[in-house]
Amino acid sequence: MAGDSLCHHGSVMLALEGRDLGRVNAGMVLGESVESANTAVTDHAPPPVPLQSSVRTRDNGGTWWKARNSIVLLSFLGLALTYMVRVCLSIAIVSMVTRNETANASQLSDTCPEPSNGPSDAVVVGEFDWSDGTVSLMLGAFFYGYTATNFVGGRAAEYFGARLTFGLGVVVPSVLSLLSPLCINISEHLFIALRVLEGMTQGVVFPSVHLLIAAWIPPKDKAKHASMILSGVQVGTVIGMSFGGWLCNTTFLGGWPAVFYVFGSLGVLWGIPWFLLAHNLPEHHPRISPSELEYIQTNRHYVKRDKAVAIPWKDIATSKPFWAIMAASFCYNFSFYTLLTELPTFFHNILHFDMNKNAVGSSLPYILQGLTCVGWGFFADLLLRKRLLTVNGIRKLSTSIALYSSAACLVAMMWVDCNAVVAVVVMCLAVGFMGPINSGSSLAEQDIAPNLAGSLKGLTNTLGSATGFLAPAITGAIVNNNQTVSAWSTVFLISATFNLVFCTVFLIFGTDRVQEWNNPKPGKVRKQGSFISGSVGILTTHSTNHNA
């Protein structure tokens, strides 16, 4: 009975949403003022949301659990599950592959000694005898597909709705994760192809969630709620590494295959509440309270459009602020993915952690990063509200803390040698200090071109995602048949150098000023039938107060 009621209720919700989609576009366009936007809106477009003389600054009405709280919670869980699926191979690979550690130790003197209570067998037997190069290819395969679909995925979210694309971006890779053990046992090449496909289907996730944040979260609340949503990255990484490591050490579902089965199943189950409760816009939600809807509309200030804005490719390509953001995105992602994909292997091969210690130890840095991400987001919001720093100051201070501090920690790894405790502490700091980046350069696209924030995020995230296969490839080339302290020091030094150089580029050329090419030029507004040229987002009124 309850199930029938739930199914009926979900059907009604989907029907309502389908009705609303006929009169409300799934996308919106960011702009500088309502007045300037109205000149570009056709006579057939719905009228803009009226600006009220008495602005509602607080949402005190309705129920204690707001509709946007469901979006925040489900988006957080969705991001956490995508990263659990993404990193499961990084932790499972240690149990899957056979390694001859005696041969490595006998040929190389620059290695850490085995602990006195370490395993007596020099050969760690796994089911697969893969080379370090093959392992690096498998770890990086995901990002070949992921890089290819970021920009296109953002466009798909704008045209078909972020609810659909984000939901599929979580559920489909989860289904593929369930198929991973089968593909691994059939052929390593088939598994590599599966990982590429997983990356392609996950490429839509971040553009979609940014579109949802823009639609549901008013700018004044963005620092708090966006940091909560994006902290799902760290939470998913922590759970994937710690719980995944524990699963590998059990006999449940065969050990390492359980990682793929459990995480994949959770992702599929998540899709049920998502597609029942999530909606593209507050206007689509059948149970949102009038007070909450009024609060979001009043503070968001957008108008709906049936036209798409052409992308000023030439202006973007010659924009120094845009390339400064690209530089910061590249170095952050290179360091992050180097540690994300290779840290478990470093802990095991160099510091000789067993599987349980490996999982817990390699998850600690991401616990700290999650805390600094959310904590610094609240602190940055406080600094802005107290007018102690400008938006530009917040962006550059946050980016400097994230990149310079992590670079210093990566350099310090060269003097850690084989001290496992110190190595874990330094690695925790190196990854943890990256948390403030979500209040820094990661938000800069919205500052310089709010009209094109989705498109710019797709471009910068494409370059950042490319480091997902570039970083493991470089690491594999350095440590292949050379699992030594000095080899891994070189890996860390490369990441530190990128952080120092490209963070400086962002500090010099980065800005929060809206660029002239943000506003569409006359004659550059196209119908949405042009998928690549179109642009959708939110049209905001001009405000002298910037919000993080």
PDB file of all heavy atoms in Angstrom, residues 13-36:
ATOM      1  N   MET A  13       4.493  13.823  -9.370  1.00  0.00           N
ATOM      2  CA  MET A  13       5.605  14.783  -9.370  1.00  0.00           C
ATOM      3  C   MET A  13       6.228  14.881 -10.742  1.00  0.00           C
ATOM      4  O   MET A  13       6.505  15.975 -11.245  1.00  0.00           O
ATOM      5  CB  MET A  13       6.661  14.371  -8.336  1.00  0.00           C
ATOM      6  CG  MET A  13       6.183  14.485  -6.904  1.00  0.00           C
ATOM      7  SD  MET A  13       7.277  13.604  -5.780  1.00  0.00           S
ATOM      8  CE  MET A  13       8.799  14.447  -6.121  1.00  0.00           C
ATOM      9  N   LEU A  14       6.473  13.733 -11.373  1.00  0.00           N
ATOM     10  CA  LEU A  14       7.092  13.742 -12.694  1.00  0.00           C
ATOM     11  C   LEU A  14       6.165  14.381 -13.715  1.00  0.00           C
ATOM     12  O   LEU A  14       6.608  15.079 -14.628  1.00  0.00           O
ATOM     13  CB  LEU A  14       7.437  12.312 -13.110  1.00  0.00           C
ATOM     14  CG  LEU A  14       8.533  11.647 -12.285  1.00  0.00           C
ATOM     15  CD1 LEU A  14       8.684  10.187 -12.706  1.00  0.00           C
ATOM     16  CD2 LEU A  14       9.838  12.384 -12.441  1.00  0.00           C
ATOM     17  N   ALA A  15       4.856  14.154 -13.577  1.00  0.00           N
ATOM     18  CA  ALA A  15       3.909  14.762 -14.489  1.00  0.00           C
ATOM     19  C   ALA A  15       3.897  16.264 -14.341  1.00  0.00           C
ATOM     20  O   ALA A  15       3.855  17.017 -15.318  1.00  0.00           O
ATOM     21  CB  ALA A  15       2.508  14.186 -14.242  1.00  0.00           C
ATOM     22  N   LEU A  16       3.928  16.727 -13.090  1.00  0.00           N
ATOM     23  CA  LEU A  16       3.974  18.159 -12.845  1.00  0.00           C
ATOM     24  C   LEU A  16       5.221  18.769 -13.441  1.00  0.00           C
ATOM     25  O   LEU A  16       5.188  19.855 -14.016  1.00  0.00           O
ATOM     26  CB  LEU A  16       3.928  18.427 -11.326  1.00  0.00           C
ATOM     27  CG  LEU A  16       2.570  18.209 -10.654  1.00  0.00           C
ATOM     28  CD1 LEU A  16       2.743  18.307  -9.137  1.00  0.00           C
ATOM     29  CD2 LEU A  16       1.556  19.233 -11.142  1.00  0.00           C
ATOM     30  N   GLU A  17       6.361  18.042 -13.263  1.00  0.00           N
ATOM     31  CA  GLU A  17       7.602  18.579 -13.805  1.00  0.00           C
ATOM     32  C   GLU A  17       7.551  18.645 -15.314  1.00  0.00           C
ATOM     33  O   GLU A  17       7.998  19.584 -15.937  1.00  0.00           O
ATOM     34  CB  GLU A  17       8.787  17.735 -13.362  1.00  0.00           C
ATOM     35  CG  GLU A  17      10.093  18.324 -13.865  1.00  0.00           C
ATOM     36  CD  GLU A  17      11.272  17.583 -13.307  1.00  0.00           C
ATOM     37  OE1 GLU A  17      11.077  16.750 -12.415  1.00  0.00           O
ATOM     38  OE2 GLU A  17      12.376  17.851 -13.773  1.00  0.00           O
ATOM     39  N   GLY A  18       6.973  17.609 -15.946  1.00  0.00           N
ATOM     40  CA  GLY A  18       6.868  17.619 -17.388  1.00  0.00           C
ATOM     41  C   GLY A  18       6.014  18.769 -17.874  1.00  0.00           C
ATOM     42  O   GLY A  18       6.293  19.391 -18.893  1.00  0.00           O
ATOM     43  N   ARG A  19       4.935  19.073 -17.113  1.00  0.00           N
ATOM     44  CA  ARG A  19       4.099  20.209 -17.475  1.00  0.00           C
ATOM     45  C   ARG A  19       4.866  21.515 -17.370  1.00  0.00           C
ATOM     46  O   ARG A  19       4.788  22.369 -18.247  1.00  0.00           O
ATOM     47  CB  ARG A  19       2.884  20.246 -16.537  1.00  0.00           C
ATOM     48  CG  ARG A  19       1.932  21.402 -16.821  1.00  0.00           C
ATOM     49  CD  ARG A  19       0.972  21.595 -15.660  1.00  0.00           C
ATOM     50  NE  ARG A  19       1.722  21.997 -14.470  1.00  0.00           N
ATOM     51  CZ  ARG A  19       1.193  22.050 -13.258  1.00  0.00           C
ATOM     52  NH1 ARG A  19      -0.057  21.685 -13.057  1.00  0.00           N
ATOM     53  NH2 ARG A  19       1.929  22.425 -12.233  1.00  0.00           N
ATOM     54  N   ASP A  20       5.646  21.661 -16.293  1.00  0.00           N
ATOM     55  CA  ASP A  20       6.404  22.885 -16.098  1.00  0.00           C
ATOM     56  C   ASP A  20       7.492  23.061 -17.137  1.00  0.00           C
ATOM     57  O   ASP A  20       7.819  24.175 -17.529  1.00  0.00           O
ATOM     58  CB  ASP A  20       7.023  22.900 -14.693  1.00  0.00           C
ATOM     59  CG  ASP A  20       5.966  23.136 -13.629  1.00  0.00           C
ATOM     60  OD1 ASP A  20       4.889  23.657 -13.964  1.00  0.00           O
ATOM     61  OD2 ASP A  20       6.248  22.787 -12.470  1.00  0.00           O
ATOM     62  N   LEU A  21       8.087  21.944 -17.575  1.00  0.00           N
ATOM     63  CA  LEU A  21       9.161  22.040 -18.558  1.00  0.00           C
ATOM     64  C   LEU A  21       8.651  22.622 -19.864  1.00  0.00           C
ATOM     65  O   LEU A  21       9.429  23.155 -20.650  1.00  0.00           O
ATOM     66  CB  LEU A  21       9.785  20.661 -18.787  1.00  0.00           C
ATOM     67  CG  LEU A  21      10.724  20.188 -17.698  1.00  0.00           C
ATOM     68  CD1 LEU A  21      11.120  18.730 -17.959  1.00  0.00           C
ATOM     69  CD2 LEU A  21      11.956  21.069 -17.637  1.00  0.00           C
ATOM     70  N   GLY A  22       7.346  22.512 -20.104  1.00  0.00           N
ATOM     71  CA  GLY A  22       6.811  23.059 -21.326  1.00  0.00           C
ATOM     72  C   GLY A  22       6.806  24.561 -21.334  1.00  0.00           C
ATOM     73  O   GLY A  22       6.797  25.187 -22.392  1.00  0.00           O
ATOM     74  N   ARG A  23       6.796  25.169 -20.114  1.00  0.00           N
ATOM     75  CA  ARG A  23       6.758  26.620 -20.094  1.00  0.00           C
ATOM     76  C   ARG A  23       7.982  27.235 -19.423  1.00  0.00           C
ATOM     77  O   ARG A  23       8.142  28.449 -19.427  1.00  0.00           O
ATOM     78  CB  ARG A  23       5.501  27.096 -19.369  1.00  0.00           C
ATOM     79  CG  ARG A  23       5.346  26.538 -17.962  1.00  0.00           C
ATOM     80  CD  ARG A  23       3.994  26.921 -17.358  1.00  0.00           C
ATOM     81  NE  ARG A  23       3.772  26.328 -16.068  1.00  0.00           N
ATOM     82  CZ  ARG A  23       4.216  26.833 -14.935  1.00  0.00           C
ATOM     83  NH1 ARG A  23       4.912  27.939 -14.942  1.00  0.00           N
ATOM     84  NH2 ARG A  23       3.971  26.221 -13.785  1.00  0.00           N
ATOM     85  N   VAL A  24       8.817  26.412 -18.855  1.00  0.00           N
ATOM     86  CA  VAL A  24      10.035  26.931 -18.235  1.00  0.00           C
ATOM     87  C   VAL A  24      11.213  26.189 -18.814  1.00  0.00           C
ATOM     88  O   VAL A  24      11.247  24.978 -18.784  1.00  0.00           O
ATOM     89  CB  VAL A  24      10.012  26.734 -16.694  1.00  0.00           C
ATOM     90  CG1 VAL A  24      11.292  27.290 -16.106  1.00  0.00           C
ATOM     91  CG2 VAL A  24       8.803  27.436 -16.090  1.00  0.00           C
ATOM     92  N   ASN A  25      12.165  26.898 -19.350  1.00  0.00           N
ATOM     93  CA  ASN A  25      13.348  26.233 -19.893  1.00  0.00           C
ATOM     94  C   ASN A  25      14.162  25.608 -18.791  1.00  0.00           C
ATOM     95  O   ASN A  25      14.231  26.124 -17.691  1.00  0.00           O
ATOM     96  CB  ASN A  25      14.224  27.241 -20.645  1.00  0.00           C
ATOM     97  CG  ASN A  25      13.557  27.697 -21.931  1.00  0.00           C
ATOM     98  OD1 ASN A  25      13.003  26.880 -22.650  1.00  0.00           O
ATOM     99  ND2 ASN A  25      13.594  28.988 -22.192  1.00  0.00           N
ATOM    100  N   ALA A  26      14.817  24.475 -19.086  1.00  0.00           N
ATOM    101  CA  ALA A  26      15.659  23.807 -18.096  1.00  0.00           C
ATOM    102  C   ALA A  26      16.883  24.624 -17.797  1.00  0.00           C
ATOM    103  O   ALA A  26      17.529  24.432 -16.798  1.00  0.00           O
ATOM    104  CB  ALA A  26      16.069  22.425 -18.608  1.00  0.00           C
ATOM    105  N   GLY A  27      17.241  25.540 -18.640  1.00  0.00           N
ATOM    106  CA  GLY A  27      18.424  26.349 -18.405  1.00  0.00           C
ATOM    107  C   GLY A  27      18.062  27.785 -18.194  1.00  0.00           C
ATOM    108  O   GLY A  27      16.948  28.216 -18.402  1.00  0.00           O
ATOM    109  N   MET A  28      19.065  28.565 -17.781  1.00  0.00           N
ATOM    110  CA  MET A  28      18.933  29.988 -17.512  1.00  0.00           C
ATOM    111  C   MET A  28      20.216  30.667 -17.941  1.00  0.00           C
ATOM    112  O   MET A  28      21.203  30.011 -18.152  1.00  0.00           O
ATOM    113  CB  MET A  28      18.672  30.213 -16.020  1.00  0.00           C
ATOM    114  CG  MET A  28      17.472  29.439 -15.525  1.00  0.00           C
ATOM    115  SD  MET A  28      17.572  29.136 -13.769  1.00  0.00           S
ATOM    116  CE  MET A  28      18.849  27.905 -13.784  1.00  0.00           C
ATOM    117  N   VAL A  29      20.228  31.999 -18.018  1.00  0.00           N
ATOM    118  CA  VAL A  29      21.421  32.692 -18.479  1.00  0.00           C
ATOM    119  C   VAL A  29      21.843  33.727 -17.464  1.00  0.00           C
ATOM    120  O   VAL A  29      21.040  34.523 -17.018  1.00  0.00           O
ATOM    121  CB  VAL A  29      21.169  33.366 -19.841  1.00  0.00           C
ATOM    122  CG1 VAL A  29      22.377  34.148 -20.286  1.00  0.00           C
ATOM    123  CG2 VAL A  29      20.823  32.314 -20.873  1.00  0.00           C
ATOM    124  N   LEU A  30      23.097  33.704 -17.092  1.00  0.00           N
ATOM    125  CA  LEU A  30      23.624  34.668 -16.140  1.00  0.00           C
ATOM    126  C   LEU A  30      23.805  36.009 -16.822  1.00  0.00           C
ATOM    127  O   LEU A  30      24.296  36.086 -17.934  1.00  0.00           O
ATOM    128  CB  LEU A  30      24.968  34.191 -15.596  1.00  0.00           C
ATOM    129  CG  LEU A  30      24.907  33.014 -14.644  1.00  0.00           C
ATOM    130  CD1 LEU A  30      26.314  32.570 -14.332  1.00  0.00           C
ATOM    131  CD2 LEU A  30      24.180  33.366 -13.389  1.00  0.00           C
ATOM    132  N   GLY A  31      23.476  37.083 -16.143  1.00  0.00           N
ATOM    133  CA  GLY A  31      23.640  38.404 -16.726  1.00  0.00           C
ATOM    134  C   GLY A  31      23.958  39.426 -15.691  1.00  0.00           C
ATOM    135  O   GLY A  31      24.062  39.141 -14.519  1.00  0.00           O
ATOM    136  N   GLU A  32      24.054  40.660 -16.121  1.00  0.00           N
ATOM    137  CA  GLU A  32      24.480  41.700 -15.217  1.00  0.00           C
ATOM    138  C   GLU A  32      23.312  42.527 -14.724  1.00  0.00           C
ATOM    139  O   GLU A  32      23.333  43.079 -13.649  1.00  0.00           O
ATOM    140  CB  GLU A  32      25.501  42.593 -15.910  1.00  0.00           C
ATOM    141  CG  GLU A  32      26.241  43.482 -14.938  1.00  0.00           C
ATOM    142  CD  GLU A  32      27.419  44.150 -15.596  1.00  0.00           C
ATOM    143  OE1 GLU A  32      27.602  43.950 -16.800  1.00  0.00           O
ATOM    144  OE2 GLU A  32      28.134  44.873 -14.900  1.00  0.00           O
ATOM    145  N   SER A  33      22.264  42.662 -15.526  1.00  0.00           N
ATOM    146  CA  SER A  33      21.114  43.436 -15.084  1.00  0.00           C
ATOM    147  C   SER A  33      19.874  42.960 -15.795  1.00  0.00           C
ATOM    148  O   SER A  33      19.913  42.485 -16.913  1.00  0.00           O
ATOM    149  CB  SER A  33      21.335  44.929 -15.356  1.00  0.00           C
ATOM    150  OG  SER A  33      21.382  45.157 -16.746  1.00  0.00           O
ATOM    151  N   VAL A  34      18.738  43.108 -15.140  1.00  0.00           N
ATOM    152  CA  VAL A  34      17.481  42.696 -15.739  1.00  0.00           C
ATOM    153  C   VAL A  34      17.156  43.574 -16.927  1.00  0.00           C
ATOM    154  O   VAL A  34      16.646  43.129 -17.938  1.00  0.00           O
ATOM    155  CB  VAL A  34      16.346  42.755 -14.697  1.00  0.00           C
ATOM    156  CG1 VAL A  34      14.987  42.582 -15.351  1.00  0.00           C
ATOM    157  CG2 VAL A  34      16.547  41.711 -13.636  1.00  0.00           C
ATOM    158  N   GLU A  35      17.502  44.875 -16.799  1.00  0.00           N
ATOM    159  CA  GLU A  35      17.193  45.790 -17.886  1.00  0.00           C
ATOM    160  C   GLU A  35      17.912  45.410 -19.169  1.00  0.00           C
ATOM    161  O   GLU A  35      17.320  45.387 -20.247  1.00  0.00           O
ATOM    162  CB  GLU A  35      17.561  47.219 -17.476  1.00  0.00           C
ATOM    163  CG  GLU A  35      16.674  47.813 -16.381  1.00  0.00           C
ATOM    164  CD  GLU A  35      16.994  47.237 -15.002  1.00  0.00           C
ATOM    165  OE1 GLU A  35      18.063  46.632 -14.847  1.00  0.00           O
ATOM    166  OE2 GLU A  35      16.168  47.382 -14.097  1.00  0.00           O
ATOM    167  N   SER A  36      19.216  45.103 -19.075  1.00  0.00           N
ATOM    168  CA  SER A  36      19.966  44.745 -20.267  1.00  0.00           C
ATOM    169  C   SER A  36      19.505  43.429 -20.839  1.00  0.00           C
ATOM    170  O   SER A  36      19.559  43.206 -22.037  1.00  0.00           O
ATOM    171  CB  SER A  36      21.462  44.665 -19.939  1.00  0.00           C
ATOM    172  OG  SER A  36      21.687  43.646 -19.008  1.00  0.00           O
TER     173      SER A  36
END
